[in-house]
Amino acid sequence: MKFIKFLIPVSVLLFIFSTKTFAQDQVTKSGIGFYFNPHYSAMFLENHVGNAFGFNLGISSENRKWTAGFRFFSRSGPINEHQEYDLVLTDGQTYKGKTVLKLGADHGYVGLEVAYNFRLSDDKLLLRIPVSFGSIGAGFYNKGEDRITPDGRRVSEWEDDLQAGNDAGFGTALEIGVEAFYSPFENLPYIAFGGGAHYTKTFGYESFLGGDDYYNDKLRITAGMYFSF
Amino acid sequence: MRVLVIVLILFFVKINVEAQSTFGLSLGTSRTDNHTESIWYQKSISDKFSVGLQFRNGDIKYRFINARAVQSGSVQHAGLVLGYKIKETEKFRFDFNLSGTYRRVNSDEVEVEGDGTNGFEIDGNLLLGFKVSNNVFFHAGTLLRYVTQTSADAITDEQLPSPILTNAFSYQANQNLFSLKTYFGPANGAGGDTLKFYWQVSVGFQRAINSSDSNDIPFLNF
């Protein structure tokens, strides 16, 4: 909550500043525009950082002040190899003779986003205030040799059985953030580099190992390229 | 299968020998295949639309039969590529390419009727191409891949679209284009039973035929 308390006044100040800035701007672009922002992201989860890849993609208004589109990112298990979660089996349950399993975790988010945009420093610096609302799905899964099941059943069936039928969960999520992108090339103004910080809140997500708060109330930072025209 | 391929090739050669077209091939390695080869042919049918054929072959490293992992065997793809040029200026080009291919996976690691599986792969590619200099191009985009297995078991969600990012650097000399292409990004499907991350690195060569202007940013087949 500290982050969102910080974010709200910063966003208000940026909004006021942007209104002034736009009054001085010469808007030279015309027609509906497009933007694409492939990025790496790091979410500060309990005791570790969750690595993910994703993109934002959509259209921009004629004056380029507003953008609307999709936000899609996913935290994949294989790029978070060092992050393991102990699943302690109880009630005499075993898996391949083991009573403790090391699990991996992954999640995906897809949602709509709307952002307010403004440019500084002769159009070279783009600042954005995006808000996104969408769906999150996340789970915990068997890793390595434990993906080869002892009886030929699909591994997801085992994961479900071993985690009380709740190895993964789904919910809705809200993100609000600030982003900055700098365009260094005179002859390629469509390409910029930068990133942002986002506050993530989830609603209704729950899983056996993650509880209902695993991805809730978290900070996520992003870094990537921003293409727009 | 071979008859179908021959008929499709003859059809495409016949429809318009005068139009701009591109022939290409690539060689690469990926999370799913030790090595993968592709050959393709794309022909413009209007200023914005193009249509083509694509064939791929791979030596399996990590794929799935009935949602169970296999680590050996072979895979073949054959299908169509539809190209749509959304916007083009002197400095950049923005494309949406949609490919739909039939897929055959063969492996003896999992026992299935017919010694393999059949399925389809649909790839939606959004691709931005930029002219870095007169001969050098940079492409960036995303691959939204949907994979379904139709037999032996019917698995409609072997892979669901996920944010797989694509990048390429290309060098053009006359009508020839040499490129280094990468894909990387998370993957998921079949209730979590299948691929969780995808990457691919490949080198490609393509040649434009009947191209009116070699300074155009080239169509790049991913």
Side-chain angles (χ1 to χ4, degrees), chain B residues 36-57:
Chain B
T36 178
E37 304 83 36
S38 75
I39 183 167
W40 53 273
Y41 178 75
Q42 193 82 10
K43 184 180 282 290
S44 297
I45 54 175
S46 74
D47 181 47
K48 287 203 174 274
F49 288 96
S50 66
V51 60
L53 290 170
Q54 183 188 73
F55 305 99
R56 279 182 277 156
N57 178 70

PDB file of all heavy atoms in Angstrom, chain B residues 36-57:
ATOM      1  N   THR B  36      15.932 -27.528 -36.655  1.00  0.00           N
ATOM      2  CA  THR B  36      14.683 -27.339 -37.393  1.00  0.00           C
ATOM      3  C   THR B  36      14.993 -26.632 -38.706  1.00  0.00           C
ATOM      4  O   THR B  36      15.825 -25.712 -38.738  1.00  0.00           O
ATOM      5  CB  THR B  36      13.658 -26.555 -36.554  1.00  0.00           C
ATOM      6  OG1 THR B  36      12.479 -26.340 -37.305  1.00  0.00           O
ATOM      7  CG2 THR B  36      14.189 -25.213 -36.079  1.00  0.00           C
ATOM      8  N   GLU B  37      14.378 -27.094 -39.773  1.00  0.00           N
ATOM      9  CA  GLU B  37      14.605 -26.511 -41.095  1.00  0.00           C
ATOM     10  C   GLU B  37      13.264 -26.057 -41.661  1.00  0.00           C
ATOM     11  O   GLU B  37      12.247 -26.729 -41.436  1.00  0.00           O
ATOM     12  CB  GLU B  37      15.209 -27.530 -42.063  1.00  0.00           C
ATOM     13  CG  GLU B  37      16.500 -28.182 -41.597  1.00  0.00           C
ATOM     14  CD  GLU B  37      16.282 -29.356 -40.664  1.00  0.00           C
ATOM     15  OE1 GLU B  37      15.305 -30.108 -40.845  1.00  0.00           O
ATOM     16  OE2 GLU B  37      17.069 -29.490 -39.702  1.00  0.00           O
ATOM     17  N   SER B  38      13.284 -24.954 -42.367  1.00  0.00           N
ATOM     18  CA  SER B  38      12.037 -24.533 -43.027  1.00  0.00           C
ATOM     19  C   SER B  38      12.342 -24.047 -44.437  1.00  0.00           C
ATOM     20  O   SER B  38      13.443 -23.566 -44.725  1.00  0.00           O
ATOM     21  CB  SER B  38      11.333 -23.439 -42.230  1.00  0.00           C
ATOM     22  OG  SER B  38      11.991 -22.217 -42.372  1.00  0.00           O
ATOM     23  N   ILE B  39      11.367 -24.194 -45.276  1.00  0.00           N
ATOM     24  CA  ILE B  39      11.443 -23.696 -46.652  1.00  0.00           C
ATOM     25  C   ILE B  39      10.089 -23.083 -46.951  1.00  0.00           C
ATOM     26  O   ILE B  39       9.052 -23.621 -46.550  1.00  0.00           O
ATOM     27  CB  ILE B  39      11.825 -24.826 -47.642  1.00  0.00           C
ATOM     28  CG1 ILE B  39      11.961 -24.271 -49.053  1.00  0.00           C
ATOM     29  CG2 ILE B  39      10.857 -25.987 -47.594  1.00  0.00           C
ATOM     30  CD1 ILE B  39      12.647 -25.249 -50.013  1.00  0.00           C
ATOM     31  N   TRP B  40      10.095 -21.934 -47.620  1.00  0.00           N
ATOM     32  CA  TRP B  40       8.826 -21.259 -47.847  1.00  0.00           C
ATOM     33  C   TRP B  40       8.855 -20.425 -49.115  1.00  0.00           C
ATOM     34  O   TRP B  40       9.915 -20.073 -49.630  1.00  0.00           O
ATOM     35  CB  TRP B  40       8.436 -20.404 -46.641  1.00  0.00           C
ATOM     36  CG  TRP B  40       9.484 -19.432 -46.188  1.00  0.00           C
ATOM     37  CD1 TRP B  40      10.502 -19.659 -45.313  1.00  0.00           C
ATOM     38  CD2 TRP B  40       9.618 -18.074 -46.601  1.00  0.00           C
ATOM     39  NE1 TRP B  40      11.256 -18.539 -45.149  1.00  0.00           N
ATOM     40  CE2 TRP B  40      10.730 -17.544 -45.920  1.00  0.00           C
ATOM     41  CE3 TRP B  40       8.901 -17.245 -47.456  1.00  0.00           C
ATOM     42  CZ2 TRP B  40      11.145 -16.232 -46.080  1.00  0.00           C
ATOM     43  CZ3 TRP B  40       9.301 -15.940 -47.622  1.00  0.00           C
ATOM     44  CH2 TRP B  40      10.422 -15.449 -46.944  1.00  0.00           C
ATOM     45  N   TYR B  41       7.664 -20.123 -49.576  1.00  0.00           N
ATOM     46  CA  TYR B  41       7.489 -19.336 -50.789  1.00  0.00           C
ATOM     47  C   TYR B  41       6.294 -18.422 -50.580  1.00  0.00           C
ATOM     48  O   TYR B  41       5.218 -18.888 -50.185  1.00  0.00           O
ATOM     49  CB  TYR B  41       7.238 -20.280 -51.979  1.00  0.00           C
ATOM     50  CG  TYR B  41       6.997 -19.573 -53.278  1.00  0.00           C
ATOM     51  CD1 TYR B  41       8.040 -18.985 -53.972  1.00  0.00           C
ATOM     52  CD2 TYR B  41       5.720 -19.504 -53.820  1.00  0.00           C
ATOM     53  CE1 TYR B  41       7.813 -18.321 -55.162  1.00  0.00           C
ATOM     54  CE2 TYR B  41       5.485 -18.853 -55.024  1.00  0.00           C
ATOM     55  CZ  TYR B  41       6.543 -18.249 -55.685  1.00  0.00           C
ATOM     56  OH  TYR B  41       6.306 -17.601 -56.868  1.00  0.00           O
ATOM     57  N   GLN B  42       6.482 -17.113 -50.789  1.00  0.00           N
ATOM     58  CA  GLN B  42       5.406 -16.152 -50.524  1.00  0.00           C
ATOM     59  C   GLN B  42       5.200 -15.275 -51.749  1.00  0.00           C
ATOM     60  O   GLN B  42       6.168 -14.811 -52.353  1.00  0.00           O
ATOM     61  CB  GLN B  42       5.806 -15.274 -49.317  1.00  0.00           C
ATOM     62  CG  GLN B  42       4.689 -14.455 -48.732  1.00  0.00           C
ATOM     63  CD  GLN B  42       3.803 -15.246 -47.778  1.00  0.00           C
ATOM     64  OE1 GLN B  42       4.140 -16.366 -47.405  1.00  0.00           O
ATOM     65  NE2 GLN B  42       2.666 -14.692 -47.409  1.00  0.00           N
ATOM     66  N   LYS B  43       3.952 -15.065 -52.115  1.00  0.00           N
ATOM     67  CA  LYS B  43       3.654 -14.300 -53.337  1.00  0.00           C
ATOM     68  C   LYS B  43       2.665 -13.192 -53.026  1.00  0.00           C
ATOM     69  O   LYS B  43       1.664 -13.424 -52.343  1.00  0.00           O
ATOM     70  CB  LYS B  43       3.066 -15.243 -54.386  1.00  0.00           C
ATOM     71  CG  LYS B  43       2.810 -14.581 -55.728  1.00  0.00           C
ATOM     72  CD  LYS B  43       2.239 -15.578 -56.707  1.00  0.00           C
ATOM     73  CE  LYS B  43       3.296 -16.490 -57.286  1.00  0.00           C
ATOM     74  NZ  LYS B  43       4.211 -15.793 -58.215  1.00  0.00           N
ATOM     75  N   SER B  44       2.949 -11.976 -53.523  1.00  0.00           N
ATOM     76  CA  SER B  44       2.017 -10.862 -53.340  1.00  0.00           C
ATOM     77  C   SER B  44       0.812 -11.043 -54.240  1.00  0.00           C
ATOM     78  O   SER B  44       0.964 -11.362 -55.422  1.00  0.00           O
ATOM     79  CB  SER B  44       2.697  -9.536 -53.689  1.00  0.00           C
ATOM     80  OG  SER B  44       3.755  -9.295 -52.817  1.00  0.00           O
ATOM     81  N   ILE B  45      -0.364 -10.823 -53.676  1.00  0.00           N
ATOM     82  CA  ILE B  45      -1.566 -10.867 -54.515  1.00  0.00           C
ATOM     83  C   ILE B  45      -2.214  -9.490 -54.610  1.00  0.00           C
ATOM     84  O   ILE B  45      -3.129  -9.285 -55.389  1.00  0.00           O
ATOM     85  CB  ILE B  45      -2.587 -11.916 -54.006  1.00  0.00           C
ATOM     86  CG1 ILE B  45      -2.921 -11.701 -52.533  1.00  0.00           C
ATOM     87  CG2 ILE B  45      -2.057 -13.323 -54.229  1.00  0.00           C
ATOM     88  CD1 ILE B  45      -4.023 -12.629 -52.018  1.00  0.00           C
ATOM     89  N   SER B  46      -1.740  -8.544 -53.810  1.00  0.00           N
ATOM     90  CA  SER B  46      -2.124  -7.141 -53.940  1.00  0.00           C
ATOM     91  C   SER B  46      -1.065  -6.329 -53.209  1.00  0.00           C
ATOM     92  O   SER B  46      -0.078  -6.888 -52.704  1.00  0.00           O
ATOM     93  CB  SER B  46      -3.516  -6.893 -53.337  1.00  0.00           C
ATOM     94  OG  SER B  46      -3.447  -6.921 -51.934  1.00  0.00           O
ATOM     95  N   ASP B  47      -1.252  -5.023 -53.139  1.00  0.00           N
ATOM     96  CA  ASP B  47      -0.265  -4.199 -52.448  1.00  0.00           C
ATOM     97  C   ASP B  47      -0.152  -4.589 -50.974  1.00  0.00           C
ATOM     98  O   ASP B  47       0.918  -4.519 -50.376  1.00  0.00           O
ATOM     99  CB  ASP B  47      -0.659  -2.729 -52.575  1.00  0.00           C
ATOM    100  CG  ASP B  47       0.362  -1.824 -51.898  1.00  0.00           C
ATOM    101  OD1 ASP B  47       1.564  -2.028 -52.139  1.00  0.00           O
ATOM    102  OD2 ASP B  47      -0.050  -0.950 -51.118  1.00  0.00           O
ATOM    103  N   LYS B  48      -1.271  -5.012 -50.391  1.00  0.00           N
ATOM    104  CA  LYS B  48      -1.264  -5.297 -48.949  1.00  0.00           C
ATOM    105  C   LYS B  48      -1.219  -6.778 -48.607  1.00  0.00           C
ATOM    106  O   LYS B  48      -0.741  -7.163 -47.553  1.00  0.00           O
ATOM    107  CB  LYS B  48      -2.510  -4.669 -48.303  1.00  0.00           C
ATOM    108  CG  LYS B  48      -2.445  -3.158 -48.197  1.00  0.00           C
ATOM    109  CD  LYS B  48      -3.348  -2.662 -47.112  1.00  0.00           C
ATOM    110  CE  LYS B  48      -3.179  -1.176 -46.891  1.00  0.00           C
ATOM    111  NZ  LYS B  48      -2.095  -0.857 -45.972  1.00  0.00           N
ATOM    112  N   PHE B  49      -1.755  -7.618 -49.486  1.00  0.00           N
ATOM    113  CA  PHE B  49      -1.890  -9.035 -49.139  1.00  0.00           C
ATOM    114  C   PHE B  49      -0.875  -9.900 -49.883  1.00  0.00           C
ATOM    115  O   PHE B  49      -0.558  -9.653 -51.042  1.00  0.00           O
ATOM    116  CB  PHE B  49      -3.292  -9.543 -49.473  1.00  0.00           C
ATOM    117  CG  PHE B  49      -4.350  -9.024 -48.544  1.00  0.00           C
ATOM    118  CD1 PHE B  49      -5.095  -7.903 -48.881  1.00  0.00           C
ATOM    119  CD2 PHE B  49      -4.604  -9.645 -47.326  1.00  0.00           C
ATOM    120  CE1 PHE B  49      -6.066  -7.412 -48.023  1.00  0.00           C
ATOM    121  CE2 PHE B  49      -5.578  -9.166 -46.462  1.00  0.00           C
ATOM    122  CZ  PHE B  49      -6.311  -8.047 -46.815  1.00  0.00           C
ATOM    123  N   SER B  50      -0.423 -10.942 -49.173  1.00  0.00           N
ATOM    124  CA  SER B  50       0.391 -11.962 -49.831  1.00  0.00           C
ATOM    125  C   SER B  50      -0.023 -13.325 -49.289  1.00  0.00           C
ATOM    126  O   SER B  50      -0.623 -13.428 -48.212  1.00  0.00           O
ATOM    127  CB  SER B  50       1.885 -11.719 -49.581  1.00  0.00           C
ATOM    128  OG  SER B  50       2.201 -11.887 -48.219  1.00  0.00           O
ATOM    129  N   VAL B  51       0.300 -14.338 -50.050  1.00  0.00           N
ATOM    130  CA  VAL B  51      -0.059 -15.691 -49.630  1.00  0.00           C
ATOM    131  C   VAL B  51       1.111 -16.612 -49.954  1.00  0.00           C
ATOM    132  O   VAL B  51       1.841 -16.388 -50.928  1.00  0.00           O
ATOM    133  CB  VAL B  51      -1.377 -16.135 -50.329  1.00  0.00           C
ATOM    134  CG1 VAL B  51      -1.233 -16.126 -51.839  1.00  0.00           C
ATOM    135  CG2 VAL B  51      -1.826 -17.497 -49.835  1.00  0.00           C
ATOM    136  N   GLY B  52       1.320 -17.602 -49.114  1.00  0.00           N
ATOM    137  CA  GLY B  52       2.479 -18.448 -49.342  1.00  0.00           C
ATOM    138  C   GLY B  52       2.334 -19.846 -48.783  1.00  0.00           C
ATOM    139  O   GLY B  52       1.337 -20.183 -48.129  1.00  0.00           O
ATOM    140  N   LEU B  53       3.363 -20.616 -49.057  1.00  0.00           N
ATOM    141  CA  LEU B  53       3.440 -21.995 -48.572  1.00  0.00           C
ATOM    142  C   LEU B  53       4.633 -22.128 -47.642  1.00  0.00           C
ATOM    143  O   LEU B  53       5.655 -21.473 -47.838  1.00  0.00           O
ATOM    144  CB  LEU B  53       3.666 -22.953 -49.747  1.00  0.00           C
ATOM    145  CG  LEU B  53       2.534 -23.165 -50.714  1.00  0.00           C
ATOM    146  CD1 LEU B  53       3.043 -23.939 -51.911  1.00  0.00           C
ATOM    147  CD2 LEU B  53       1.417 -23.929 -50.019  1.00  0.00           C
ATOM    148  N   GLN B  54       4.488 -22.987 -46.663  1.00  0.00           N
ATOM    149  CA  GLN B  54       5.591 -23.170 -45.717  1.00  0.00           C
ATOM    150  C   GLN B  54       5.703 -24.646 -45.345  1.00  0.00           C
ATOM    151  O   GLN B  54       4.683 -25.300 -45.099  1.00  0.00           O
ATOM    152  CB  GLN B  54       5.307 -22.350 -44.465  1.00  0.00           C
ATOM    153  CG  GLN B  54       6.406 -22.389 -43.439  1.00  0.00           C
ATOM    154  CD  GLN B  54       5.974 -21.715 -42.132  1.00  0.00           C
ATOM    155  OE1 GLN B  54       5.175 -22.265 -41.383  1.00  0.00           O
ATOM    156  NE2 GLN B  54       6.478 -20.527 -41.893  1.00  0.00           N
ATOM    157  N   PHE B  55       6.927 -25.128 -45.302  1.00  0.00           N
ATOM    158  CA  PHE B  55       7.179 -26.513 -44.866  1.00  0.00           C
ATOM    159  C   PHE B  55       8.280 -26.480 -43.819  1.00  0.00           C
ATOM    160  O   PHE B  55       9.268 -25.774 -43.980  1.00  0.00           O
ATOM    161  CB  PHE B  55       7.623 -27.402 -46.036  1.00  0.00           C
ATOM    162  CG  PHE B  55       6.659 -27.375 -47.175  1.00  0.00           C
ATOM    163  CD1 PHE B  55       6.893 -26.567 -48.274  1.00  0.00           C
ATOM    164  CD2 PHE B  55       5.499 -28.134 -47.130  1.00  0.00           C
ATOM    165  CE1 PHE B  55       5.991 -26.511 -49.313  1.00  0.00           C
ATOM    166  CE2 PHE B  55       4.594 -28.080 -48.174  1.00  0.00           C
ATOM    167  CZ  PHE B  55       4.838 -27.273 -49.267  1.00  0.00           C
ATOM    168  N   ARG B  56       8.087 -27.252 -42.754  1.00  0.00           N
ATOM    169  CA  ARG B  56       9.100 -27.301 -41.694  1.00  0.00           C
ATOM    170  C   ARG B  56       9.354 -28.739 -41.281  1.00  0.00           C
ATOM    171  O   ARG B  56       8.442 -29.572 -41.297  1.00  0.00           O
ATOM    172  CB  ARG B  56       8.622 -26.519 -40.469  1.00  0.00           C
ATOM    173  CG  ARG B  56       8.830 -25.031 -40.575  1.00  0.00           C
ATOM    174  CD  ARG B  56       8.373 -24.334 -39.305  1.00  0.00           C
ATOM    175  NE  ARG B  56       6.946 -24.106 -39.297  1.00  0.00           N
ATOM    176  CZ  ARG B  56       6.220 -23.947 -38.200  1.00  0.00           C
ATOM    177  NH1 ARG B  56       6.792 -24.015 -37.008  1.00  0.00           N
ATOM    178  NH2 ARG B  56       4.934 -23.722 -38.268  1.00  0.00           N
ATOM    179  N   ASN B  57      10.587 -28.990 -40.924  1.00  0.00           N
ATOM    180  CA  ASN B  57      10.963 -30.305 -40.432  1.00  0.00           C
ATOM    181  C   ASN B  57      11.807 -30.115 -39.178  1.00  0.00           C
ATOM    182  O   ASN B  57      12.595 -29.178 -39.096  1.00  0.00           O
ATOM    183  CB  ASN B  57      11.769 -31.048 -41.508  1.00  0.00           C
ATOM    184  CG  ASN B  57      12.216 -32.406 -41.019  1.00  0.00           C
ATOM    185  OD1 ASN B  57      11.404 -33.311 -40.840  1.00  0.00           O
ATOM    186  ND2 ASN B  57      13.513 -32.547 -40.757  1.00  0.00           N
TER     187      ASN B  57
END
